[in-house]
Amino acid sequence: MESCRVAAEVMPGHEVDSKKVRWEELLPREFRARQEQTPIVYLPLGLCEPHGHVAAFGLDTFKAVWLCEQAASRLGGIVAPTQGYQIHETGYHRPWLKEVIGETNPNLGSVPPDVLLRMLLLQLRAFVNAGFRVAVILTGHHGNQADLRIVAEEVMQVRPIRIVTVSDPELARGAFDGDHAGRYEISQLLFIRPDLVDLTRVGDIDTSPLGRFAQGEDAAEASTEYGRAILEYSLDELERQIHAALPYEDAIDPLGIDETDEIWQRILARKGEWRTLSERNPDLAHES
Ligand SMILES: [Zn+2]
């Protein structure tokens, strides 16, 4: 989707290949050059969950990946391997699934909070030890971000890494209202991956044995231009939040596995705060 990408800023005379931003794709010399120029790492978090009959399961993942890759192209830095599984089924998720899916198999890629949060802690450890000074945790699955922030807070208590944790509807807040598989979300996938949206299926909610399958009421109003507007606004806001987290430290001591286990015990001690275990989530207005 080259036509959808924001043009990368090419620094004259600099040997960084600004087109390649994925950790998986970089050679050692390229990784070090990018990191030396901008020691920011971006972690996209998504999920496979129902987004109606009109859109692919991975909608949340595609939003997060797009924003991280565009930010890395624009600001520099490296995009870490995508976290494509997310917290679901616990706490407030359970009644939500019952309401929008019913008894149908949601074909869900979910993991419980203790698994996801411990994985995030170990991912942040990997980022510190790989030499990054700033981490951007961007979730396309809205509602879990308060719990992700608990992990980020506990890591920042022991290491001076700057961590920005945000969900995509938070980036668009004030300009666009988030939703689940409605005009807001479907428009974004239409812009990023039009091949993964089929608006002719919008009426399947009345005929399919799957029922509504979490489709938003205004999904039919989705448009590429609306998606572009949301994403460009969100990208500008992400850039603003990253700049607000700077400056970064010159060097950060590595995190050992024992010390990481101690951080995990502190996160577990805050289990009473985990929103993904709670029946109510003040962050949630059925978005994403
Ligand atoms: Zn979504």
Side-chain angles (χ1 to χ4, degrees):
M1 295 309 305
E2 282 304 313
S3 60
C4 294
R5 295 193 187 285
V6 174
E9 277 183 26
V10 180
M11 306 284 283
H14 203 283
E15 62 178 303
V16 170
D17 174 1
S18 54
K19 289 195 192 72
K20 268 202 315 188
V21 299
R22 300 287 315 201
W23 193 337
E24 304 98 308
E25 296 180 5
L26 295 167
L27 276 62
R29 186 186 61 82
E30 297 168 333
F31 181 98
R32 280 155 195 257
R34 281 199 77 85
Q35 193 187 52
E36 206 170 288
Q37 189 182 53
T38 312
I40 302 177
V41 63
Y42 306 82
L43 176 63
L45 290 104
L47 168 69
C48 283
E49 73 169 342
H51 281 85
H53 301 275
V54 296
F57 284 97
L59 196 157
D60 292 2
T61 307
F62 290 106
K63 283 185 299 181
V65 167
W66 189 91
L67 287 163
C68 287
E69 290 185 355
Q70 294 300 320
S73 295
R74 198 191 267 198
L75 307 174
I78 294 170
V79 180
T82 302
Q83 173 61 51
Y85 293 78
Q86 262 272 24
I87 303 167
H88 215 301
E89 299 180 83
T90 60
Y92 59 86
H93 281 108
R94 198 187 300 271
W96 181 83
L97 274 173
K98 197 168 173 55
E99 180 192 335
V100 302
I101 302 291
E103 301 305 316
T104 302
N105 185 340
N107 312 130
L108 198 60
S110 89
V111 293
D114 59 329
V115 172
L116 192 284
L117 298 179
R118 192 166 189 192
M119 182 64 181
L120 177 62
L121 171 62
L122 290 162
Q123 286 164 322
L124 289 169
R125 171 179 181 261
F127 301 157
V128 166
N129 291 358
F132 292 103
R133 312 278 182 259
V134 182
V136 176
I137 301 168
L138 202 159
T139 177
H141 182 59
H142 178 80
N144 295 352
Q145 66 271 13
D147 291 2
L148 308 179
R149 285 191 181 112
I150 291 173
V151 178
E153 280 167 21
E154 292 296 338
V155 171
M156 287 191 286
Q157 286 290 324
V158 299
R159 289 295 183 280
I161 184 170
R162 314 282 189 238
I163 306 175
V164 175
T165 310
V166 71
S167 77
D168 71 276
E170 288 181 328
L171 293 173
R173 188 169 287 166
F176 302 94
D177 290 330
D179 65 20
H180 182 84
R183 183 186 179 212
Y184 169 86
E185 277 207 308
I186 304 297
S187 293
Q188 292 180 76
L189 191 59
L190 257 181
F191 177 69
I192 298 166
R193 287 289 302 271
D195 58 311
L196 302 183
V197 178
D198 183 356
L199 288 178
T200 68
R201 310 308 310 187
V202 78
D204 286 9
I205 52 170
D206 298 320
T207 56
S208 167
L210 300 181
R212 178 181 162 193
F213 214 56
Q215 188 165 293
E217 285 176 5
D218 57 356
E221 294 164 33
S223 75
T224 304
E225 278 315 301
Y226 192 64
R228 179 204 299 273
I230 296 166
L231 286 161
E232 289 183 350
Y233 183 93
S234 302
L235 186 57
D236 286 343
E237 173 60 18
L238 180 60
E239 181 173 355
R240 196 195 63 71
Q241 292 193 15
I242 292 168
H243 280 302
L246 304 180
Y248 51 79
E249 295 290 315
D250 287 340
I252 302 177
D253 290 338
L255 254 178
I257 202 75
D258 289 345
E259 195 178 358
T260 306
D261 282 340
E262 290 167 16
I263 301 170
W264 177 241
Q265 292 309 317
R266 289 194 281 275
I267 295 166
L268 279 179
R270 296 177 63 181
K271 211 166 188 174
E273 297 173 46
W274 294 11
R275 294 227 173 122
T276 50
L277 292 177
S278 167
E279 290 296 315
R280 288 179 48 79
N281 184 349
D283 283 331
L284 196 74
H286 287 184
E287 295 161 318
S288 304

